[in-house]
Amino acid sequence: IDDGIPSYEDARKALELARENRISAIVATPHVTPGVHTKDDIHDFIQRIDDLRMLATEYNIDILDGCELFLNHDYQKALDQNLFIPIENTQYVLVEFDVRKEIGNEQEVEERLYDVQFKGYTPIIAHVERYFKNGIDIERVNGFIESGCIIQVNATSFLGYHGKQAKKIAQLLDEGLIHVIATDTHRATGSRKPCLNKIFYLLEKKYNYHAIHTLMSENPLHILKNEWLEPVYARESFFKKL
């Protein structure tokens, strides 16, 4: 479909890795670009997700509908015409901005997030750590949460795969400004493959076990059940230090 898994063979490899990482459900999130993708494209995306769903039964993994909606200048048209795919018929929809530049002003970001909410959906801001080129703006991220948005970060960002600034997302963990840590899998090899186990054990060494488990398992499950969820305060406890 886009820059994700390119073939059935690669999909099988990625599913095998997902199973090794104890992943039992995957939300498929093809990119939807307003002004580019049509109703026919959305139909094709859903069909390809169905193809993946059939393949994933061999690995006892559930594949769920979704997309990553690019909130560009044509976003209102996509909202008005329902040219996007909410996560498995829930109120949640994964959204993103242009990661190639610094995050935009309120009109480009907060106003567009508000319009998604006005449509009746809760935006999950994808890989929020990738939008800040000069250090993560804690106050801005906190504002997203206070307005009712959900914050997702990429597991691989903790390894610095998306740049030095993205690696600083420990700040978000320390301040309790993350709801979900997810894979953002694009490939079966390299830096964008399923790696939740590795990141879990990396973070569990420093942070509260239950907090990391909530970010990687319990909160994603709340989303799939269309339930509300809270950001997680994961700072290392005094007893953990001892």
Side-chain angles (χ1 to χ4, degrees), residues 230-241:
E230 296 287 344
V232 175
Y233 185 79
R235 185 172 292 173
E236 182 181 20
S237 70
F238 172 74
F239 293 103
K240 183 97 173 172
K241 289 181 181 179

Side-chain angles (χ1 to χ4, degrees), residues 102-106 109-110 125 128-145 151 165-166 168-169 171-172 175 177:
E102 184 78 20
I103 194 165
N105 58 37
E106 289 187 7
V109 177
E110 278 82 351
I125 303 177
V128 72
E129 73 279 7
R130 297 185 64 191
Y131 304 124
F132 301 99
K133 309 304 179 184
N134 298 306
I136 295 176
D137 188 336
I138 295 296
E139 185 175 342
R140 191 91 182 269
V141 176
N142 190 59
F144 294 152
I145 294 174
I151 302 299
Q165 296 302 333
K168 293 182 178 179
I169 55 174
Q171 292 177 273
L172 298 178
E175 298 294 332
L177 298 177

Side-chain angles (χ1 to χ4, degrees), residues 61-72:
I61 294 176
D62 293 327
I63 301 297
L64 309 171
D65 290 344
C67 78
E68 189 172 27
L69 178 62
F70 185 27
L71 295 184
N72 62 7

